[in-house]
Amino acid sequence: MEEKLQYLRDLAQNWKPARDLNSLRDTMVFATGNPHTQLMLIGEAPGYYEEVQREPFVGRAGEKLNQILKAMGLSRDMVYISNIVKFRPALPNQRTNNRAPTPEEIEACLPIIMHEIQVIQPKMIIALGGTAAVGLLGEQGSVSSMRGRFHDLNGIPVRVTYHPSYLLRSDNPREKRKVWEDMLAVMERMGMPVSEKQRGYFLPRE
């Protein structure tokens, strides 16, 4: 598996459909975590902090994701974390500002992530955010319309939930609870233990 991932990493570095767009930056951010896991988390594209550290989901959004995983009884080194687009989408005079990848950028990069999924063969995928969900599943919709149920990607169940950065922008406990309900559904589907304490996270106080 490691050889396959290294081949894929080399392929992604010089992936012509993505390079030919001339709208992505040069530093590749491939993936992190355990390739032998059953759980794969997929976001949209690296941002400033990811580009600096060459690792998906670092910075504040990464810290929030770490907190979610910890609440599930997991850690980053127990799951596999990747993005559909492996390069930070470019902007004029870009510093720390980021943008979401365009549909053209996602389409150009999609064969890489699909190949990556084939190599990892996870039992479950969590799509973090609408851009990742639309890219992976090929259906249009918002996170709110796509979450709350399992989708199918070549026989693999996919749970769509909000991106960690959305939770940073929204301090609404109800939104946190929605994400947590998605995680509980994932845990139950995967046969992971769920305690009563975990079931009660982010429920509104009586």
Side-chain angles (χ1 to χ4, degrees):
M1 180 186 288
E2 278 72 14
E3 288 179 4
K4 289 181 180 176
L5 282 176
Q6 186 57 52
Y7 167 78
L8 198 54
R9 188 183 291 263
D10 294 341
L11 192 67
Q13 179 69 60
N14 301 297
W15 185 242
K16 195 171 185 300
R19 292 300 197 183
D20 285 351
L21 293 172
N22 292 318
S23 62
L24 299 169
R25 290 166 62 95
D26 288 336
T27 301
M28 184 175 70
V29 180
F30 191 71
T32 189
N34 179 6
H36 302 280
T37 186
Q38 295 189 342
L39 179 59
M40 186 171 182
L41 296 93
I42 302 176
E44 53 180 46
Y48 170 76
Y49 293 104
E50 287 77 17
E51 186 181 65
V52 169
Q53 297 188 36
R54 297 196 175 199
E55 185 174 323
F57 284 94
V58 295
R60 292 183 66 216
E63 289 172 12
K64 179 61 69 176
L65 182 60
N66 291 348
Q67 291 167 11
I68 293 168
L69 290 171
K70 185 177 180 181
M72 296 171 74
L74 299 169
S75 61
R76 285 173 77 93
D77 59 3
M78 296 168 70
V79 299
Y80 187 88
I81 305 172
S82 194
N83 282 311
I84 291 183
V85 176
K86 304 297 189 188
F87 301 88
R88 184 179 169 207
L91 286 165
N93 304 314
Q94 193 168 18
R95 294 180 185 270
T96 59
N97 49 331
N98 302 312
R99 67 169 174 83
T102 65
E104 292 75 23
E105 289 164 346
I106 289 172
E107 185 179 357
C109 297
L110 205 54
I112 298 291
I113 190 70
M114 290 303 185
H115 198 145
E116 203 173 348
I117 291 167
Q118 286 181 344
V119 172
I120 301 299
Q121 294 187 326
K123 296 285 191 296
M124 173 74 65
I125 293 172
I126 298 174
L128 296 164
T131 305
V134 169
L136 283 174
L137 299 171
E139 55 185 85
Q140 295 302 312
S142 62
V143 174
S144 58
S145 70
M146 298 172 80
R147 63 163 296 274
R149 64 189 190 278
F150 288 100
H151 302 259
D152 179 83
L153 179 65
N154 302 325
I156 302 169
V158 177
R159 192 77 176 195
V160 175
T161 198
Y162 293 104
H163 194 282
S165 61
Y166 172 79
L167 295 181
L168 293 173
R169 294 192 300 270
S170 168
D171 207 27
N172 188 335
R174 288 180 182 165
E175 301 305 296
K176 293 177 181 176
R177 178 62 193 183
K178 287 176 184 175
V179 171
W180 185 240
E181 285 173 355
D182 291 326
M183 298 307 107
L184 288 174
V186 165
M187 292 167 73
E188 287 171 349
R189 183 77 172 255
M190 294 182 68
M192 293 170 60
V194 182
S195 69
E196 287 307 306
K197 182 180 178 182
Q198 285 173 312
R199 290 191 192 282
Y201 286 166
F202 308 116
L203 279 175
R205 299 187 189 280
E206 297 297 331

